[in-house]
Amino acid sequence: MHYTEAKGILSAKNGMNLYRGCSHGCIYCDSRSRCYQMNHDFEDIEIKRNGLELLEDALQRRRKKCMIGTGSMTDPYIPLEKELEHVRKVLMLIERYGFGFTVITKSDLILRDIDLLKRINDKTKCVVQMTLTTYDEELCRKIEPGVCTTRRRFEVLKTMGDAGIPTVVWLCPILPFINDTEENLRGILSYCVEAGVHGILCFGMGVTLRDGNREYFYEQLDGLMPGMKERYMREFGNSYVCASTQNDYLMRVFHRTCEEAGIMHSNDEIFNYLNEFQEKQGESQLSFL
């Protein structure tokens, strides 16, 4: 790991990344792409030394409350977070200043902070987002080797739901020729239904590959699934979007299952929900009314 001094912490859309780089080792990770100009080894985690100070200053200056998000580029619950507890300190600030919060992760380390997540959700809104890609636990350990498996993530989603914290699942990527099967899809959806997730984001059955992450993905395929790299090269070349041949059928299964279960499955509606700040009335207000 290494430290850097940042000039700012919140993006124009109120997102932030406390860390840059990741140690989960997911073979398909888009954040490895060269377009993001990460000028250090991906596993050499960059830490914003002044991130917490910048965030508190930004929250103090905000005249209007909003949702604060993290996890879009780097999973904030990497193993290093156990030691540094930067996310926990962020949650304390967000609760103190009355903002909403949403996070994307694949890690069960988030359970450490369920007390703060619940307190934020009691006041405003807190949404926990988790990525699920494969129902097969053995395959999960191969393609996402440094993080808890899908079954454990399902348990986290269920625990959050039981605590009254709404959840959203990212159903992506679905890797052509690897996990683009109806069995895999229905398995993941069964977890989502049982956990009572609020919504599922899905951008189609496939994976995107840019310069940087494509090379890493192919290198991992060589070791894990001999011959698969060549199949991808024959089928997709240097295409950005690598879509499953089963896309149309699987997407019909996806939308029909969500509809029957009452799960939100419009990407636009889900993003609107994630961005919508809600301030809940306290007990004193309710009793007065």
Side-chain angles (χ1 to χ4, degrees):
M1 68 177 186
H2 66 280
Y3 287 88
T4 186
E5 293 288 325
K7 295 181 179 179
I9 190 69
L10 290 179
S11 71
K13 295 184 177 180
N14 302 308
M16 63 179 173
N17 286 295
L18 295 168
Y19 307 120
R20 292 197 77 198
C22 188
S23 52
H24 287 341
C26 303
I27 69 172
Y28 51 74
C29 183
D30 177 70
S31 295
R32 292 180 181 272
S33 301
R34 282 194 281 272
C35 64
Y36 300 122
Q37 299 179 352
M38 195 173 297
N39 300 316
H40 57 86
D41 290 340
F42 195 69
E43 288 75 16
D44 177 19
I45 311 300
E46 183 177 278
I47 304 162
K48 296 175 182 178
R49 190 192 307 274
N50 57 338
L52 294 169
E53 291 81 3
L54 288 171
L55 178 61
E56 183 164 21
D57 181 66
L59 297 180
Q60 287 176 330
R61 290 172 179 271
R62 287 295 165 99
R63 304 177 73 177
K64 187 176 181 181
K65 300 291 173 57
C66 63
M67 296 292 290
I68 305 294
T70 190
S72 61
M73 281 292 296
T74 296
D75 192 324
Y77 284 104
I78 53 178
L80 191 61
E81 168 62 17
K82 293 179 185 178
E83 170 191 346
L84 299 179
E85 296 192 346
H86 281 194
V87 179
R88 187 163 181 83
K89 294 167 187 173
V90 160
L91 292 172
M92 291 176 181
L93 289 173
I94 288 173
E95 188 212 356
R96 183 189 308 164
Y97 291 101
F99 284 75
F101 182 71
T102 184
V103 57
I104 308 170
T105 185
K106 295 175 184 171
S107 174
D108 57 355
L109 179 57
I110 193 173
L111 291 174
R112 179 200 66 188
D113 297 332
I114 194 169
D115 58 330
L116 287 166
L117 297 170
K118 191 174 186 310
R119 292 213 297 265
I120 292 169
N121 193 56
D122 287 344
K123 293 180 179 179
T124 59
K125 184 171 75 179
C126 178
V127 186
V128 170
Q129 305 174 62
M130 296 204 89
T131 301
L132 304 182
T133 60
T134 177
Y135 187 69
D136 184 318
E137 293 287 277
E138 183 178 350
L139 179 60
C140 183
R141 291 186 183 95
K142 289 181 179 180
I143 67 175
E144 299 163 342
V147 69
C148 65
T149 64
T150 303
R151 174 71 193 183
R152 179 58 174 158
R153 285 176 237 168
F154 154 70
E155 292 169 354
V156 172
L157 289 167
K158 201 167 186 312
T159 299
M160 293 294 170
D162 291 343
I165 300 168
T167 57
V168 165
V169 162
W170 289 68
L171 181 60
C172 61
I174 300 297
L175 306 174
F177 317 126
I178 297 173
N179 64 342
D180 59 338
T181 65
E182 183 174 354
E183 178 184 13
N184 180 60
L185 175 60
R186 290 193 182 277
I188 294 173
L189 292 176
S190 69
Y191 278 155
C192 294
V193 172
E194 187 175 346
V197 305
H198 186 78
I200 305 175
L201 287 161
C202 183
F203 305 92
M205 302 295 163
V207 63
T208 57
L209 297 176
R210 308 179 205 251
D211 291 346
N213 81 309
R214 180 187 294 108
E215 291 83 351
Y216 184 81
F217 179 64
Y218 283 171
E219 179 185 337
Q220 297 305 305
L221 287 183
D222 262 344
L224 295 171
M225 306 169 194
M228 188 60 71
K229 168 187 170 181
E230 288 72 21
R231 188 172 184 183
Y232 265 75
M233 293 176 71
R234 287 195 304 270
E235 184 73 21
F236 304 114
N238 289 322
S239 297
Y240 169 58
V241 177
C242 306
S244 168
T245 57
Q246 303 300 311
N247 178 74
D248 292 347
Y249 174 69
L250 293 178
M251 288 302 293
R252 286 196 296 271
V253 171
F254 165 70
H255 287 299
R256 183 169 61 248
T257 303
C258 289
E259 195 69 32
E260 292 171 351
I263 296 173
M264 188 182 292
H265 53 106
S266 161
N267 292 346
D268 287 343
E269 287 182 14
I270 295 171
F271 282 125
N272 286 338
Y273 169 74
L274 292 172
N275 290 324
E276 180 187 16
F277 176 77
Q278 297 173 351
E279 193 159 21
K280 298 173 183 175
Q281 291 181 318
E283 290 182 6
S284 59
Q285 290 173 292
L286 290 173
S287 61
F288 175 77
L289 294 171

